[in-house]
Amino acid sequence: MLVSAKEMLTKAKAGHYAVGQFNINNLEWTKAILQTAQELNSPVILGVSEGAGKYMCGFKTVADMVKDMIDELKITVPVALHLDHGTYEACYKCIDAGFSSIMFDGSHYPIEENVEKTTELVKVCAEKGLSLEAEVGAIGGEEDGVIGMGECADPDECKMIADLGVTMLAAGIGNIHGKYPANWQGLSFDTLAAISDKVGAMPLVLHGGTGIPEDMIKRAISLGVSKINVNTECQLAFAAAVRKYVEEGKDLSGKGFDPRKLLAPGVEAIKATVREKMELFGSVGKA
Ligand code: 13P
């Protein structure tokens, strides 16, 4: 069964660990992440961007696939199905489609408009039992055509949005989607500490989990980060494993061209990446 992310994140914040959000792209991705979460007895959040939702034939197809897969694979750990960086319109589409969690990314609106739209969504999500993530301070890098400059969030604005009653808050602290450039300055822990002080028990979300060094991840968790988003790292691992299979000519030998064989090394690579992250984030055994 799908659950909202509220309980798993409240527990994570209190227990000083983080739950991973892993973005999904297709059936293989979804199955790999669910099976790994079950194997490690870890809660998990499946992230779906608008682009990925479109690719998978719409949010309803995604929600139905995930629910059926949870039944079929007998997944008993808590699973949240979460819209990643949703526009206002996509939030409503996902609520209708049966998602259990949404992110309204109002970071590019003036703060007043972000507040107004977030307030409305807080009410709708509370009525329907969904968790809601809000964002303050754009996350750097490019994701599905949305480009953020990587600014640091203003702690007072974070407090203002947190007080609206959202479930979790994503705050820009110098993090970037995709690979980090060689001259990256690292996470701004001063900003994170100031935000944490202001928002108290509210679970904080760290986007752009790919490529953040382990010590920074651990420090971020110690300062109140309870949800960490990982997307690119699974994609890189999948692509490298499938590339190796093809470069070794395995698709040309016997029935190696069978998509179930061709994609299998990619699936194993996703599983290994998810396992590594769950161990690092401390969510293993916390279901
Ligand atoms: P990465 O692709 O950098 O891991 O970021 C994922 C993310 O933040 C999704 O919202």
Side-chain angles (χ1 to χ4, degrees):
M1 206 184 68
L2 286 180
V3 295
S4 120
K6 189 178 173 72
E7 195 186 328
M8 63 172 93
L9 294 182
T10 307
K11 275 186 168 165
K13 176 101 183 189
H16 307 289
Y17 60 92
V19 178
Q21 173 193 306
F22 301 95
N23 286 52
I24 57 172
N25 291 288
N26 57 21
L27 181 142
E28 281 77 12
W29 236 265
T30 313
K31 185 175 165 188
I33 296 165
L34 287 176
Q35 285 179 325
T36 309
Q38 184 68 26
E39 214 176 283
L40 299 182
N41 197 31
S42 168
V44 72
I45 300 170
L46 302 177
V48 182
S49 67
E50 291 199 49
K54 208 167 159 187
Y55 175 80
M56 290 184 275
C57 304
F59 295 126
K60 184 163 185 310
T61 308
V62 177
D64 291 349
M65 173 181 76
V66 171
K67 285 179 197 165
D68 288 344
M69 221 181 249
I70 288 173
D71 283 348
E72 191 67 30
L73 298 173
K74 300 189 174 37
I75 303 292
T76 56
V77 297
V79 179
L81 178 60
H82 180 74
L83 169 65
D84 191 25
H85 292 282
T87 56
Y88 179 74
E89 294 74 25
C91 285
Y92 280 98
K93 282 188 191 161
C94 285
I95 292 169
D96 286 345
F99 276 46
S100 64
S101 187
I102 55 173
M103 172 184 189
F104 168 55
D105 183 354
S107 62
H108 49 281
Y109 287 113
I111 187 75
E112 300 75 26
E113 200 172 347
N114 192 356
V115 166
E116 189 189 315
K117 290 192 159 63
T118 304
T119 306
E120 180 193 309
L121 285 162
V122 163
K123 195 164 163 278
V124 177
C125 287
E127 278 165 14
K128 300 195 181 279
L130 272 73
S131 41
L132 173 64
E133 176 176 338
E135 176 172 326
V136 180
I139 315 290
E142 193 265 346
E143 192 175 60
D144 271 341
V146 181
I147 298 172
M149 299 308 287
E151 72 210 41
C152 279
D154 172 354
D156 289 318
E157 285 189 5
C158 290
K159 165 89 176 131
M160 195 194 300
I161 298 283
D163 284 350
L164 300 176
V166 299
T167 318
M168 60 274 208
L169 185 72
I173 53 166
N175 40 332
I176 299 175
H177 288 127
K179 289 182 182 174
Y180 283 85
N183 63 351
W184 180 51
Q185 303 290 304
L187 297 176
S188 170
F189 290 107
D190 289 348
T191 309
L192 179 57
I195 295 168
S196 245
D197 271 356
K198 295 258 179 195
V199 304
M202 164 90 28
L204 296 172
V205 183
L206 182 63
H207 281 248
T210 295
I212 299 180
E214 284 193 21
D215 57 328
M216 286 195 204
I217 292 281
K218 287 191 171 144
R219 193 156 167 215
I221 294 173
S222 76
L223 288 169
V225 164
S226 323
K227 171 176 180 276
I228 303 177
N229 294 5
V230 178
N231 182 15
T232 307
E233 208 157 320
C234 288
Q235 298 187 8
L236 292 168
F238 177 87
V242 175
R243 166 189 289 274
K244 183 166 176 280
Y245 180 92
V246 173
E247 280 182 351
E248 285 171 354
K250 291 191 175 152
D251 58 319
L252 299 174
S253 126
K255 283 263 178 92
F257 54 82
D258 176 341
R260 284 173 268 164
K261 291 198 169 76
L262 181 73
L263 298 180
V267 168
E268 287 309 312
I270 295 171
K271 285 185 173 172
T273 306
V274 171
R275 191 174 302 124
E276 189 187 296
K277 297 296 171 194
M278 287 178 164
E279 281 164 2
L280 173 63
F281 300 166
S283 70
V284 173
K286 298 292 190 338

